[in-house]
């Protein structure tokens, strides 16, 4: 029997998605469904002095207007409002809680109507008076008020002194603007009133159980009275890790009306949710003439809200990649009158490694070294934060295979030295690094005598292909054709799963399936042994495998019993097993994924128009479960990296504290014309230390380093070093 | 969006009657601009008069050798019409540089003329904007003004007209046919759109009770030497930072006739006859192109975020004229600028 793991299996949910059979949170139906519309704050900071809902209430078809003054009860402690992934410090946002305004776009009233058009119109009639307060939304203005946050990276030596003494130095500041996730699917919740206070909540989320616990806590519900379902998610990229305000408001509406309520945010309102924080990064690199690092300082100042401290690690990545005798890391946060920043694909790394890898490029130029060569000279075989070796690190191979596929050898070092007609040609490269995380997770498998199996888990598939890789792993573990496997996900009543994030889903689900399948196999063996003259009478559990619908001895393939026969012997129709898999703790190794990204840009010399004509991304991420979905993850990441380099920026008018491009016509992401040739290489990286199946995950590694490779290529093409993203044509022309 | 009445006009006279009877009404054609603005509460019409089924959807040759384009011809039909492709490729090219295929299928010729600015403050009802709320102030001056105008601005408004199609129509010397209660009239294209002055709320010289019925093109189409170059923040599906329509009639190496119009730089498609005159009789080379660019941009004025547009426009003009002169027009299918 052929194995499914590693093959380019097409998405098992592909048909459901393209035919519209796959339902999303805002599409579930309910009888007597009411529709909700949000009224947002026009100011970034202050108090609501008066809120007049009279005109809105008088609109025919309006059922109620909820504000902080008349809403149903919600929890009143920070603890109750903390979801599983909330920042440790701070006071989570509570929509419609009181009269305080903490950011522009904050929801301050909820209009409930018989239909959405009515609710939306009535929302425009809610009249609000504010007591305005001074505010700040500009990171550069709040720069000096930033405070230090603890990070795991450990400074060593005296980086300042070593930098001063270094023979070759590079020091610069880099800037990444605020970016928003913009998943295709709008944030939406349909809360179905099941009667007797019971609710079924269809939500767009990366973690149904997180949302379920959170809502039960906020609304003081018993766990059995509230179920959260999210079978499909149209992209989330981190925006759906924390419960978003629409699920609170839709629930609030259902409780107030005692009927079902749907709330779909508008695209514009989605800019009132989390975002990748604007970040200022300072790098100071001191090297000896032979290209080894004596001093490495990385400082980051990122944005958070006034009420919570969200931060990820921007500064620690250098210690994973490069040896330096002295190193210093400082991570700061600046508070602005904005919503709390949030995770967005490779949080911390996408921004921190952008700066680090541009700085390394600049250092290579100062040293007159090839950028790849510099990275090899500084290559670290150990995680210097913890001083640990890696479970595996095929990064050298990424550099080698990536460079070869790209044709890096032919690069001329001098900027502005390569041309294609009137275009300047630039070649740049960068390194990517991310974590290989894994989480405890439970899976239930129900195997029928007919050789069909259902696999249950509360995990979400946010579009990455989780359904598909789970079906592959289950098919292999149970020895069944993939068509006989059904995967059920995204329901809080299913076996425990963490939120879908951190690239930990592939490793976690695969091992949980394997662990549960082992129990199934054990049970089948026990049944098989009961058969008279059983050929497996003496077989030990470790000596049998499931293949082609049979239990087969690994020692003698002629000794086998079909699943159907085994079940018949026990007079049962099905076997059901649930097991929680946990990973053995290993404090002796660092676990990471790596990549080398090579980019070619062509820049119109006169007009400054930049095209990213080629990208090669060579990734080392352990065992690749599905060549096709894995390729899509990396390709999508590269496209996003192009956007990060050239297009994406949330534009604020700091006089109003408002976002001025809160829509996807004016918030630019790459379109087809901006995307050319992208080649993805998976470097072989066998790893039996990271976990038994050698899986590392690759949802995030693909974006890390891409923007730096492009920025470095733009420098190589033009001789202009642009450190503030995005690199728009005016910056190149200047 | 506010509640509104909806009525369908049976013919042009009916449409004019209906709009004359209700000054707060609006025509709706493809709806790709109007509906967006209604959702944002920027446009608040009491009534939508649906003109989309009026029989103004034909493209026909005129007696003087030109072309008459009905106001309801979809942008995509216009761009792909054989007569337009053959005789007015500049127009076809400009249309294809705009929006997306889906939008062009919906958008009408008349609606394209009357689409409103993309100034972010115009869309955001929370902020002051003279165009949306006369007298409230212009937030773009001193605010976010990357996409704003560098020519013909006033202290009341620095918005741009966002159309691509109109830039080509301006260059081609089109005429706009309109019908009102008093009957039909025609306007030179240059007279159709206005500069902001102290009434930025008024985009055009179309009277409130008039309907656009057709666009007429003269016989001269510049099919041999033309180019439409759109420079924007990504390679497709973005409004122009600067766009340039160039059309030349060459005789030997010399320029017999020249047309030059710019988009994304002013409250209207920007044509400068002095720049065109300066090209006439000159050699089709960099020096003449550069001189024309200097004339066209002589009074250009930049703001905090858009000052780069002046130099960008200058270089863009030279490039586009070069493309036109060499008969290598910018392709709207290539993922690159020539
Ligand atoms: C995301 C996006 C991107 C876009 N990008 C571009 C671009 O790159 N370049 C570009 O040029 N355009 C672009 N557009 C704009 C698009 O071209 C216009 O929206 C379209 O041309 C408007 O035509 P319509 O028929 O849909 O007009 P409608 O929305 O129906 O009407 C627009 C206005 O014209 C009035 N009107 C319509 N027809 C008549 C008539 N016959 N007589 C009198 N008044 C009339 C209406 O009352 C209304 O005020 C974009 C639009 C969107 C939404
Ligand atoms: S430029 Fe014009 S449209 Fe924009 S804010 Fe100023 S007045 Fe309004």
């Amino acid at each position: 029997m052929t194995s499914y793991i590693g093959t380019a299996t097409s998405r098992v949910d592909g048909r459901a998605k393209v035919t519209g059979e796959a339902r999303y949170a805002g599409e579930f139906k309910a009888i007597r469904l009411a529709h909700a519309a949000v009224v947002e704050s026009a100011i970034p900071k202050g108090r609501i002095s008066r809120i007049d809902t009279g005109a809105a209430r008088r609109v025919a078809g309006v059922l109620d207007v909820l504000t902080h003054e008349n809403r149903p009860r919600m929890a009143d402690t920070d603890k109750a409002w903390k979801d599983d992934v909330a920042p440790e410090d701070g006071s989570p946002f509570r929509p419609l809680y009181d009269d305080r305004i903490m950011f522009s776009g904050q929801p301050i009233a909820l209009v409930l109507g018989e239909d959405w058009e009515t609710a939306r119109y009535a929302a425009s009639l809610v009249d609000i008076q504010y007591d305005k307060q001074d505010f700040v939304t500009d990171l550069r203005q709040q720069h000096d008020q930033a405070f230090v946050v603890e990070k795991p990276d450990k400074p060593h030596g005296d980086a300042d002194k070593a930098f001063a003494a270094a023979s070759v130095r590079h020091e610069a500041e880099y800037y990444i603007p605020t970016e928003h996730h913009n998943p295709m699917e709008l944030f939406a919740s349909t809360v179905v009133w099941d009667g007797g206070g019971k609710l079924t909540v269809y939500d767009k989320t990366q973690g149904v159980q997180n949302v379920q616990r959170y809502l039960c806590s906020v609304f003081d519900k018993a766990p059995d009275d509230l179920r959260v379902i999210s079978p499909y998610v149209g992209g989330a990229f981190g925006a759906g890790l924390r419960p978003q305000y629409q699920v609170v408001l839709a629930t609030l509406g259902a409780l107030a009306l005692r009927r079902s309520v749907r709330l779909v945010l508008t695209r514009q309102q989605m800019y009132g949710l989390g975002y990748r924080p604007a970040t200022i990064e300072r790098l100071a690199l001191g090297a000896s003439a032979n290209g080894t690092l004596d001093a490495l300082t990385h400082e980051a100042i990122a944005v958070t809200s006034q009420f919570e401290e969200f931060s990820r690690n921007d500064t620690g990545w250098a210690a994973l990649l490069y040896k330096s005798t002295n190193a210093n890391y400082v991570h700061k946060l600046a508070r602005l009158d904005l919503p709390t920043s949030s995770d967005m694909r490779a949080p911390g790394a996408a921004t921190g490694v952008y700066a680090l890898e541009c700085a390394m490029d600049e250092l290579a130029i100062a040293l007159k070294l090839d950028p790849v060569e510099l990275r090899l000279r500084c290559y670290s075989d150990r995680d210097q934060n913890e001083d640990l070796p890696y479970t595996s690190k095929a990064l050298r191979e990424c550099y080698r295979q990536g460079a070869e596929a790209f044709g890096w050898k032919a690069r001329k070092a001098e900027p502005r030295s390569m041309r294609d007609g009137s275009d300047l040609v630039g070649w740049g490269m960068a390194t990517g690094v991310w974590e290989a995380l894994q989480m405890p997770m439970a899976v239930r498998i129900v195997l029928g005598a007919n050789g069909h199996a259902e696999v249950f888990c509360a995990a979400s598939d946010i579009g990455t292909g989780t359904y598909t890789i789970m079906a592959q792993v289950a098919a292999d573990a149970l020895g069944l054709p993939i068509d006989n496997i059904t995967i059920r996900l995204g329901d809080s009543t299913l076996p425990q799963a963490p939120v879908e994030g951190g690239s930990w889903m592939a490793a976690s689900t695969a091992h949980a399936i394997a662990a549960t399948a082992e129990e199934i196999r054990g049970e089948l063996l026990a049944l098989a042994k009961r058969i008279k003259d059983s050929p497996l009478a003496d077989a030990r559990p470790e000596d049998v495998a499931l293949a082609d619908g049979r239990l087969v001895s690994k020692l003698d393939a002629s000794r086998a019993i079909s699943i159907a026969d085994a079940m018949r012997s026990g007079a049962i129709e099905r076997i059901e097993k649930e097991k929680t898999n946990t990973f053995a703790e290993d404090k002796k190794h660092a676990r990471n994924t790596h990549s080398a990204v090579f980019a070619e840009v062509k820049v119109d010399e006169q007009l400054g128009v930049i095209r990213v004509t080629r990208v090669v991304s060579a990734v080392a991420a352990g065992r690749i479960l599905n060549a096709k979905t894995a390729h899509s993850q990396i390709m999508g990441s590269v496209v996003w990296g192009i956007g990060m380099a050239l297009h994406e920026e949330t534009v604020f008018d700091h006089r109003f504290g408002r976002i001025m491009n809160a829509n996807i016509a004016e918030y630019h992401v790459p379109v087809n014309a901006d995307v050319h040739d992208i080649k993805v290489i998976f470097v072989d990286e066998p790893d039996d230390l990271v976990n038994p199946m050698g899986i590392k995950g690759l949802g995030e590694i693909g974006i890390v380093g891409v923007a730096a490779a492009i920025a470095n290529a733009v420098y190589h093409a033009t001789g202009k070093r642009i450190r503030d993203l995005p690199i728009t044509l005016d910056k190149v022309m200047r | 969006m506010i509640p509104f009445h909806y009525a369908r006009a049976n013919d042009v006279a009916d449409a004019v009657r209906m709009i004359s009877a209700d000054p707060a009404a609006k025509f709706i054609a493809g709806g790709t601009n109007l509906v967006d603005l209604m959702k944002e509460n920027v446009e608040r019409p009491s009534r939508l008069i649906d003109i989309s089924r009026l029989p103004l959807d034909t493209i026909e040759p005129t007696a003087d050798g030109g072309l008459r384009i009905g106001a309801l011809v979809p942008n995509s039909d216009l761009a792909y019409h054989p007569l337009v492709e053959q005789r007015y490729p500049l127009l076809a090219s400009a249309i294809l540089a705009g929006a997306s295929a889906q939008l062009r299928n919906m958008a009408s010729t008349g609606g394209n003329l009357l689409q409103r600015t993309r100034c972010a403050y115009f869309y955001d009802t929370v902020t002051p904007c003279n165009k949306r709320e006369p007298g409230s102030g212009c937030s773009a001056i001193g605010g976010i003004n990357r996409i704003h105008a560098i020519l013909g601005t006033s202290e009341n408004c620095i918005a741009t007209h966002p159309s691509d199609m109109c830039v080509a129509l301006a260059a081609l010397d089109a005429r706009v046919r309109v019908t009102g209660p008093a009957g039909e009239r025609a306007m030179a294209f240059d007279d159709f759109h206005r500069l902001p002055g102290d009434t930025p709320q008024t985009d055009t010289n179309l009277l409130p009770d008039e309907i656009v019925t057709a666009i007429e093109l003269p016989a001269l189409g510049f099919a041999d030497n033309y180019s439409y170059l759109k420079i924007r923040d990504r390679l497709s599906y973005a409004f122009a930072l600067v766009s340039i329509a160039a059309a030349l009639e060459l005789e030997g190496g010399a320029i017999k006739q020249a047309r030059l119009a710019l988009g994304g730089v002013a409250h209207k498609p920007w044509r400068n006859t002095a720049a065109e005159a300066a090209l006439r009789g000159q050699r089709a080379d960099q020096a003449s192109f550069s001189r024309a660019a200097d004339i066209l941009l002589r009074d250009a004025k930049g703001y905090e975020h858009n000052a780069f547009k002046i130099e960008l426009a200058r270089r863009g003009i030279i490039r586009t004229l070069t493309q036109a002169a060499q008969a290598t027009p910018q392709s709207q299918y290539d993922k690159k600028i020539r």
Side-chain angles (χ1 to χ4, degrees):
Chain A
M1 176 157 165
T2 54
S3 162
Y4 290 98
I5 292 180
T7 62
T9 301
S10 289
R11 283 168 192 265
V12 296
D13 50 346
R15 197 193 138 78
K17 284 191 169 171
V18 297
T19 56
E21 196 185 295
R23 289 268 185 86
Y24 293 83
E27 299 178 329
F28 285 90
K29 297 197 172 74
I31 39 169
R32 293 188 67 236
L33 182 65
H35 296 259
V38 174
V39 180
E40 307 132 73
S41 166
I43 66 159
K45 192 175 196 166
R47 298 223 170 229
I48 302 169
S49 56
R50 206 177 71 94
I51 185 158
D52 181 354
T53 60
R57 286 173 182 283
R58 283 192 293 277
V59 174
V62 168
L63 300 164
D64 203 349
V65 181
L66 301 180
T67 70
H68 65 281
E69 291 170 346
N70 68 343
R71 59 164 173 82
R73 212 191 147 272
M74 295 191 284
D76 55 9
T77 64
D78 286 341
K79 187 163 171 284
W81 284 89
K82 269 207 164 78
D83 68 273
D84 295 357
V85 276
E88 261 166 53
D89 297 312
S91 167
F93 175 60
R94 309 173 187 179
L96 259 55
Y97 190 79
D98 57 22
D99 63 349
R100 266 184 311 164
I101 305 281
M102 295 181 291
F103 54 90
S104 185
Q106 177 179 327
I108 49 180
L110 186 74
V111 179
L112 297 155
E114 292 289 357
D115 54 65
W116 186 63
E117 290 77 6
T118 302
R120 181 178 55 176
Y121 164 56
S124 73
L125 301 178
V126 175
D127 185 38
I128 306 129
Q129 313 280 315
Y130 303 97
D131 285 334
K132 296 182 189 168
Q133 290 166 10
D134 289 344
F135 60 87
V136 52
T137 55
D138 186 354
L139 172 59
R140 303 228 190 248
Q141 198 184 323
Q142 200 70 344
H143 189 270
D144 297 340
Q145 271 74 46
F147 57 94
V148 174
V149 281
E150 287 298 318
K151 289 291 161 199
D153 29 77
K154 297 192 181 84
H156 56 265
D158 187 336
D160 286 348
K161 210 169 120 194
F163 180 76
S167 57
V168 179
R169 280 183 298 227
H170 166 68
E171 185 178 9
E173 203 173 275
Y174 302 82
Y175 178 73
I176 302 97
T178 302
E179 296 168 358
H180 277 81
H181 306 73
N182 284 305
M184 217 189 307
E185 182 198 11
L186 299 168
F187 269 88
S189 307
T190 304
V191 177
V192 178
W193 178 262
D194 293 328
K198 289 199 182 221
L199 299 174
T200 303
V201 178
Y202 297 93
D203 189 33
K204 175 191 174 77
T205 176
Q206 292 174 245
V208 283
Q209 291 178 330
N210 184 25
V211 174
Q212 196 261 356
R213 277 190 289 274
Y214 171 81
L215 289 178
C216 286
S217 159
V218 166
F219 293 103
D220 198 17
K221 289 257 170 218
D224 285 347
D225 287 348
L226 193 147
R227 177 177 176 192
V228 179
I229 298 179
S230 181
Y232 294 102
V233 179
F237 312 113
L241 285 171
R242 299 185 69 182
Q244 295 296 343
Y245 73 68
Q246 95 286 341
V247 75
V248 176
L249 295 185
T251 307
L252 201 63
L255 293 174
L257 296 181
R258 302 175 68 81
R259 62 187 266 193
S260 303
V261 169
R262 173 183 300 160
L263 172 56
V264 182
L265 296 189
T266 62
R267 178 62 62 183
Q268 288 82 343
Q269 284 166 346
M270 283 174 48
Y271 288 78
L273 308 177
Y275 51 90
R276 195 193 289 287
T279 312
I280 298 169
E281 315 257 357
R282 191 178 74 84
L283 264 297
L285 304 176
S288 53
N290 68 0
T292 54
L293 284 171
D294 297 328
L296 190 159
T297 295
H298 190 166
E299 275 176 33
I301 307 179
V303 170
T304 192
S305 64
Q306 298 284 4
F307 48 92
E308 276 180 312
E309 292 176 21
F310 171 84
S311 75
R312 289 286 177 253
N313 196 353
D314 278 66
T315 51
W317 306 101
L320 303 179
L321 293 174
Y322 305 123
K323 276 182 299 198
S324 177
T325 340
N326 302 279
N328 192 22
Y329 310 102
V330 183
H331 204 294
K332 291 183 180 175
L333 283 180
R335 292 191 185 283
L336 297 177
D337 295 297
L338 295 174
T340 304
S341 44
S342 76
D343 286 310
M344 185 195 281
R345 206 173 207 166
T351 43
V353 175
Y354 159 70
L356 171 68
E357 287 299 287
C358 288
M360 285 296 280
D361 196 64
E362 298 198 57
L363 181 68
I365 291 157
L367 284 161
K368 299 195 166 52
L369 268 183
D370 181 89
V372 179
E373 179 57 29
L374 173 63
R375 283 157 175 91
L376 292 173
R377 291 195 191 174
C378 301
Y379 197 91
S380 177
D381 286 309
R382 295 177 83 80
D383 165 353
Q384 295 159 96
N385 286 325
E386 303 297 333
D387 194 26
L388 292 174
Y390 294 91
T391 59
S392 61
K393 180 172 179 175
L395 177 57
R396 275 199 186 90
E397 209 34 36
C398 293
Y399 291 134
R400 199 188 63 75
Q401 291 188 26
E404 190 178 298
F406 188 83
W408 185 256
K409 232 176 30 226
R411 181 178 185 264
K412 294 185 197 142
E414 214 34 47
R416 301 179 68 85
S417 62
M418 293 168 69
R419 279 185 175 270
D420 173 15
S422 61
D423 282 342
L424 297 165
V425 176
W427 288 3
M429 61 80 56
T431 315
V433 54
W434 185 247
E435 299 167 286
L437 300 169
Q438 48 201 23
M439 303 288 259
M441 187 178 294
V443 154
R444 179 163 70 242
I445 298 178
V446 179
L447 176 67
N450 61 359
H452 283 255
E454 274 189 289
V455 179
F456 300 88
C457 175
S460 305
D461 182 343
I462 60 170
T464 52
T466 305
Y467 277 105
T468 310
I469 59 164
M470 286 181 73
Q472 290 174 273
V473 173
D476 281 2
L478 297 169
L480 296 172
I482 198 165
D483 291 341
N484 288 15
I485 309 286
T486 307
I487 307 289
R488 307 257 182 233
L489 303 177
D491 181 335
S492 61
T493 61
L494 295 181
Q496 174 274 328
V499 293
E500 207 284 10
S503 300
W504 57 56
M505 234 5 151
S508 309
T509 53
H511 288 87
I513 290 170
T516 312
E518 198 176 308
E519 303 258 304
I520 299 255
R521 203 178 61 217
E523 172 115 10
L524 281 170
L525 180 61
L527 292 168
K529 287 189 185 208
R530 290 182 7 201
I531 293 176
K532 194 161 168 298
D533 301 329
S534 171
L536 297 173
D538 303 324
R540 293 172 307 175
E542 59 272 30
D543 293 338
V544 293
L546 283 164
D548 296 320
R550 301 180 315 158
L551 200 57
V552 190
S553 165
K554 289 194 223 168
L555 310 172
D556 174 0
S558 71
R559 294 173 172 269
I561 284 180
S562 75
I563 291 173
D565 286 346
M567 288 210 196
R568 201 172 304 125
S569 82
I572 55 168
E573 287 295 310
R574 60 208 283 272
I575 299 175
E576 177 172 336
K577 292 284 174 193
E578 179 173 330
K579 185 143 169 59
T580 303
N581 175 66
T582 51
F583 292 90
E585 213 174 319
D586 170 8
K587 293 207 158 138
K588 296 209 176 77
H589 293 94
R591 27 184 89 234
N592 290 88
T593 52
H594 298 89
S595 70
V597 187
F598 295 82
E600 174 184 87
V601 300
K602 293 192 176 168
V603 183
D604 187 296
E605 191 176 5
Q606 286 294 309
L607 306 175
V609 175
I610 304 167
R611 295 178 299 137
V612 180
T613 44
R614 282 193 307 135
V615 176
V616 173
S617 175
V619 177
R623 183 181 207 174
I624 304 306
L625 290 173
N626 182 321
K628 196 170 181 176
T629 55
H631 181 272
S632 294
Q633 280 300 300
I634 302 302
M635 192 170 58
S637 290
V638 169
V639 171
W640 201 347
I642 294 173
M644 180 177 176
L646 304 183
H647 306 125
E648 287 197 55
E649 176 176 19
T650 304
V651 178
F652 289 86
D653 186 328
H654 298 301
R655 299 169 306 170
F656 302 107
R658 282 174 79 76
I659 295 171
M660 297 318 298
N661 62 340
N663 64 72
I664 44 178
E666 264 81 20
Y667 181 103
H668 291 157
V669 300
V671 294
N672 187 292
D674 298 300
V675 179
H676 297 249
D677 186 22
I678 297 172
K679 186 173 169 63
V680 178
I681 297 169
F682 290 111
V683 169
D684 208 28
E685 194 180 54
D687 186 338
D688 52 10
L689 290 173
V690 67
N691 51 45
M693 294 168 84
I695 302 167
K696 285 182 165 181
L698 38 70
E700 291 166 287
I701 180 66
I703 193 174
V704 185
V706 179
I710 294 169
N712 295 340
V714 169
Y715 171 79
H716 183 237
T718 63
K720 287 210 175 83
R721 179 59 68 174
I722 294 147
R723 303 189 179 95
D724 289 6
L725 295 182
I727 305 174
T728 48
L729 58 86
D730 49 312
K731 295 179 188 169
V732 177
M733 274 179 67
R734 219 176 271 154
Chain B
M1 194 182 270
I2 61 167
F4 55 86
H5 297 281
Y6 170 88
R8 194 182 292 170
N10 295 318
D11 52 34
V12 170
D14 195 26
V16 171
R17 245 188 330 271
M18 286 163 78
I19 198 123
S20 307
D22 184 354
K26 283 231 149 227
F27 294 131
I28 182 160
T32 60
N33 190 225
L34 181 56
V35 175
D36 277 5
L37 289 165
M38 288 169 67
K39 286 194 208 161
E40 301 283 351
N41 279 315
V42 175
E43 298 276 18
R44 303 165 67 88
S46 60
R47 180 183 307 270
L48 289 185
I49 304 169
D50 187 351
I51 57 170
S52 64
R53 289 173 179 78
L54 294 188
L56 301 174
D57 57 350
T58 55
I59 299 174
E60 284 154 10
T62 56
D64 62 358
L67 207 60
R68 186 185 161 102
I69 302 155
L72 289 161
V73 173
N75 287 179
S76 42
D77 287 10
L78 181 56
Y80 296 122
H81 194 279
L83 285 179
V84 177
E85 283 182 331
Q86 283 156 30
R87 290 169 46 194
Y88 307 97
L90 175 64
L91 177 59
S93 183
I95 293 170
L96 295 178
S100 64
Q102 295 90 330
L103 283 158
R104 294 193 297 265
N105 286 340
M106 284 301 289
S108 67
T109 304
N112 195 308
L113 261 59
L114 287 147
Q115 64 173 299
R116 309 209 65 189
T117 186
R118 307 305 293 199
C119 172
Y121 302 98
F122 178 67
Y123 271 79
D124 183 358
T125 53
V126 165
T127 57
C129 165
N130 285 328
K131 187 181 278 299
R132 183 170 27 77
E133 218 178 298
S136 61
C138 171
S139 297
I141 300 174
I144 305 297
N145 48 36
R146 177 176 175 79
I147 63 165
H148 287 72
I150 52 171
L151 286 161
T153 55
S154 77
E155 69 218 33
N156 299 303
C157 180
I158 59 170
T160 58
H161 190 259
S163 170
D164 290 294
M165 184 183 94
C166 291
V167 184
L169 291 176
L172 291 169
D173 251 347
R175 292 177 73 75
V176 186
R177 297 207 77 88
V178 308
T179 301
E184 249 205 298
R185 65 176 178 126
M187 272 187 261
F189 204 81
D190 195 42
D191 296 334
F192 187 78
H193 296 98
R194 296 178 68 256
L195 288 182
D198 49 15
T199 51
Q201 66 274 23
T202 316
D203 292 349
T204 69
N205 289 316
L206 186 75
L207 298 175
D209 51 8
E210 287 181 321
I211 181 172
V212 174
T213 55
I215 301 288
E216 283 175 358
L217 291 172
L220 186 56
F222 299 93
D224 293 332
N225 294 93
Y226 73 93
S227 186
Y228 186 77
L229 178 61
K230 181 175 183 181
I231 308 166
R232 46 192 148 175
D233 272 329
R234 59 184 169 193
L235 283 158
S236 179
Y237 201 27
F239 290 94
L241 291 167
V242 172
S243 71
I244 303 110
L248 298 172
E249 214 186 325
L250 299 176
E251 221 169 43
I255 299 167
K256 197 171 152 212
Q257 271 233 63
R259 299 282 174 77
L260 188 58
L262 266 62
V265 297
H267 201 255
K268 59 187 290 188
W270 192 263
R271 239 185 105 178
N272 181 318
T273 43
E276 292 173 5
L279 284 167
R280 264 197 299 276
Q282 304 297 308
R283 295 192 55 77
D285 61 16
Q286 297 284 307
S288 339
F289 299 159
S290 173
R291 244 184 340 266
D294 288 342
I295 296 173
L296 191 141
L297 294 162
R298 198 163 38 206
D299 298 325
K301 175 177 172 215
Y303 297 82
E304 188 182 350
H305 305 121
N306 75 349
F308 73 93
K309 278 189 178 189
I310 302 174
E311 181 58 21
L312 183 64
R314 209 180 66 77
R315 297 183 193 178
I317 290 169
I318 296 170
R319 176 72 63 86
T320 317
L321 282 166
T322 308
Q323 292 175 335
Q326 293 176 349
T328 53
Q330 176 61 38
S331 154
Q332 306 304 347
Y333 300 100
D334 271 9
K335 290 181 170 185
K336 91 185 278 292
I337 284 179
R338 289 192 177 181

